[in-house]
Amino acid sequence: MKLVVVGTGYVGLVSGACLADVGHTVICVDVDALKIEKLKQGVMPIYEPGLEDVVKRGVESGRLLFTTNLAEAMEGARIAMIAVGTPSSPDGSVNMSYVESAARNIGKAMKSYTVVVDKSTVPVGTAEWVASVIHSETEQEFDVVSVPEFLREGHAVQDFMQPHRIVIGSESEKATADMMELFASFDCPKVVMDARSAELTKYAANSFLAMKIGFINEIASLCERLGANVDEVAKGIGLDPRIGAAFLKAGLGWGGSCFPKDVRALKNLGDGLGVPLPIINASLDMNTMARQRVVDRLVSLFDGSIEGKKIAVLGVAFKPNTDDTRESAAIALMQILKEKGADVHVYDPIAVFYPALHGFEVAVGESPYHIAQGAHAVILATEWSMFTDLDLKRIKQVMADDVLVDARNFFEPQRVKEVGFRYLRVGNK
Ligand code: UGA
């Protein structure tokens, strides 16, 4: 099938490249001419393991093309996928201006029956709204369907190629048949439902996972008081298939471009409709508390003040295997440390700390050993696998004091103990 993907962000680029990989002809469109030019040369705009290879394969096969010209791209395309950004507005609502402009341009360029696929995470009711926007631009017959994306950054290609399910929000048999053909090579349940339910499924999935993390962080705070171990509790409950072991890792809480935005969007939806959503609200509160608790425990180790203490933070990215720092818990943590007067130094193997973007300054170091020099405490904030090989003895030797805060419960406790750190783990006494 021939399809056009509007937007070459995480979702658009991964979807486009993977759909070309399974045999479709895909034209990826973006308004950013420089990005398109770089993609044509095989330069990835994001760090995503495996993506470069899939894009390269697609380009070489001639089935993956890049352009800024939507009208031309739409020639003969059966499907137009909207995969543009839906950032949070300052009031927490979803900014739909990119979706609107994509829908308008698709409407203008449409020459024959087209299935317009909403792939971006969009508020409930968007499929109907997108249809009305397109209607105002064309007389052509078309359908709008919602096919939410469930890929994780850092695992995006794998998640796209081996999905657990594909949710198809479609009320048109013709469009559903096209979606079945588009996703024919993916061996997983394909769940067809109305568009509103599909749109809500995406928010519900992310909010459920965020709640699960919030829950284990709540149990972690009890463990810290009771002398229990949250990792053991997580194992103990996670083996029950009704609960499941995934997303039960206590730590600094969730960040990234999805969970914070989507949980807030659901909160706003409830507020706007007057529907109480206590669990959603508590998830947001718990996430803030998770970071605060780590800092509070550190402060109490230093007799109530970390003012002037040098704190070395390992990790800027919101999770490993990505350069994405959006709403990163590591950054939220550093901000609290700064507010408490600490001298914060940071190192990340890939992600970059931008003071202008994040609104405060920290010193950026070249290596874990570099930032640990003279530090009173080291905090592991993002669990990059490369930190497994850290020479902890060397770290301790160059430090001015001996506190290691493992905010992701990443290190082997026995190993840390042998080195002789004062060691703090989340959800451990
Ligand atoms: C998330 C979802 O997992 C995807 O299914 C979804 O498609 C995506 O959002 C999206 O809406 O686009 P992502 O934001 O890439 O994916 O990251 P996750 O791997 O889900 O991690 C989110 C946050 O939760 C990270 O900050 C991570 O450190 C934290 N986390 C995760 C925990 O603190 N504990 C855990 O057990 C798991």
Side-chain angles (χ1 to χ4, degrees):
M1 295 181 102
K2 178 177 172 187
L3 70 139
V4 168
V5 178
V6 185
T8 57
Y10 263 101
V11 172
L13 186 56
V14 171
S15 306
C18 291
L19 286 168
D21 213 40
V22 299
H24 300 295
T25 298
V26 184
I27 309 185
C28 291
V29 183
D30 204 294
V31 287
D32 186 339
L34 187 64
K35 200 171 172 190
I36 289 295
E37 219 27 67
K38 285 192 167 167
L39 278 166
K40 281 181 182 169
Q41 291 159 21
V43 180
M44 296 301 105
I46 47 171
Y47 173 78
E48 183 63 39
L51 182 60
E52 199 172 336
D53 290 344
V54 190
V55 170
K56 211 169 143 207
R57 262 202 310 273
V59 171
E60 277 167 13
S61 71
R63 288 195 306 272
L64 181 62
L65 301 132
F66 297 99
T67 180
T68 52
N69 191 330
L70 177 63
E72 247 174 57
M74 286 283 291
E75 291 281 338
R78 176 76 171 184
I79 293 164
M81 196 174 266
I82 300 179
V84 293
T86 51
S88 284
S89 298
D91 66 354
S93 63
V94 183
N95 175 350
M96 294 294 285
S97 59
Y98 303 114
V99 176
E100 180 174 0
S101 125
R104 224 169 262 298
N105 292 332
I106 288 170
K108 281 186 187 132
M110 213 179 264
K111 298 264 163 46
S112 56
Y113 173 77
T114 309
V115 184
V116 179
V117 182
D118 280 340
K119 204 73 174 133
S120 306
T121 301
V122 288
V124 178
T126 295
E128 293 149 51
W129 174 72
V130 164
S132 71
V133 171
I134 298 176
H135 262 308
S136 67
E137 301 290 343
T138 182
E139 308 256 286
Q140 278 299 332
E141 190 201 348
F142 68 91
D143 282 305
V144 180
V145 302
S146 165
V147 182
E149 190 46 71
F150 300 107
L151 55 83
R152 292 162 301 164
E153 289 182 24
H155 300 267
V157 173
Q158 178 200 335
D159 285 352
F160 195 96
M161 290 305 212
Q162 290 145 25
H164 296 293
R165 81 298 205 185
I166 295 174
V167 170
I168 301 170
S170 164
E171 280 136 85
S172 141
E173 274 181 27
K174 200 157 138 183
T176 305
D178 279 348
M179 289 302 100
M180 289 300 177
E181 191 182 333
L182 183 68
F183 296 114
S185 34
F186 299 95
D187 182 22
C188 69
K190 284 143 199 157
V191 195
V192 182
M193 57 181 78
D194 62 276
R196 285 185 165 239
S197 301
E199 287 159 350
L200 188 55
T201 297
K202 169 69 193 206
Y203 285 106
N206 273 0
S207 299
F208 187 89
L209 293 169
M211 174 195 74
K212 220 178 157 188
I213 300 166
F215 178 82
I216 203 65
N217 279 326
E218 194 164 298
I219 297 298
S221 61
L222 271 179
C223 289
E224 285 159 18
R225 282 298 190 85
L226 296 170
N229 179 340
V230 74
D231 302 311
E232 301 298 347
V233 178
K235 204 187 294 165
I237 62 172
L239 285 167
D240 182 336
R242 291 172 302 173
I243 297 173
F247 281 68
L248 281 182
K249 190 95 181 115
L252 283 177
W254 34 267
S257 62
C258 306
F259 284 5
K261 168 173 78 74
D262 293 353
V263 179
R264 275 199 302 265
L266 220 48
K267 175 196 159 46
N268 284 334
L269 188 66
D271 289 350
L273 293 169
V275 177
L277 301 176
I279 296 177
I280 297 295
N281 282 287
S283 297
L284 287 162
D285 293 344
M286 193 58 226
N287 210 40
T288 312
M289 280 158 70
R291 289 120 200 220
Q292 190 63 51
R293 225 178 51 240
V294 168
V295 178
D296 290 348
R297 290 177 79 204
L298 175 72
V299 170
S300 64
L301 269 190
F302 286 107
D303 299 327
S305 172
I306 51 167
E307 187 150 10
K309 300 280 182 206
K310 177 172 175 182
I311 314 283
V313 176
L314 297 172
V316 177
F318 87 91
K319 65 172 189 178
N321 297 325
T322 177
D323 60 352
D324 199 338
T325 62
R326 283 176 285 179
E327 307 221 22
S328 168
I331 292 173
L333 174 89
M334 288 194 275
Q335 191 158 18
I336 307 176
L337 294 170
K338 284 286 288 188
E339 282 160 13
K340 298 230 172 261
D343 172 23
V344 181
H345 292 242
V346 71
Y347 166 77
D348 189 289
I350 299 280
V352 181
F353 182 89
Y354 294 106
L357 183 69
H358 304 306
F360 61 99
E361 303 260 355
V362 296
V364 178
E366 292 153 17
S367 74
Y369 308 102
H370 180 209
I371 59 166
Q373 190 81 40
H376 297 90
V378 170
I379 307 182
L380 181 121
T382 312
E383 65 278 34
W384 283 97
S385 59
M386 68 162 306
F387 294 146
T388 325
D389 303 327
L390 276 185
D391 183 344
L392 293 178
K393 246 190 211 146
R394 187 173 153 202
I395 295 262
K396 183 159 174 283
Q397 267 162 12
V398 298
M399 286 173 68
D401 208 330
D402 62 354
V403 175
L404 176 61
V405 180
D406 189 349
R408 295 287 180 183
N409 291 3
F410 174 78
F411 294 114
E412 183 49 52
Q414 190 54 32
R415 202 179 136 219
V416 179
K417 220 168 142 189
E418 277 162 20
V419 179
F421 279 107
R422 281 191 285 162
Y423 182 46
L424 279 187
R425 276 171 83 84
V426 177
N428 282 239
K429 195 155 172 267

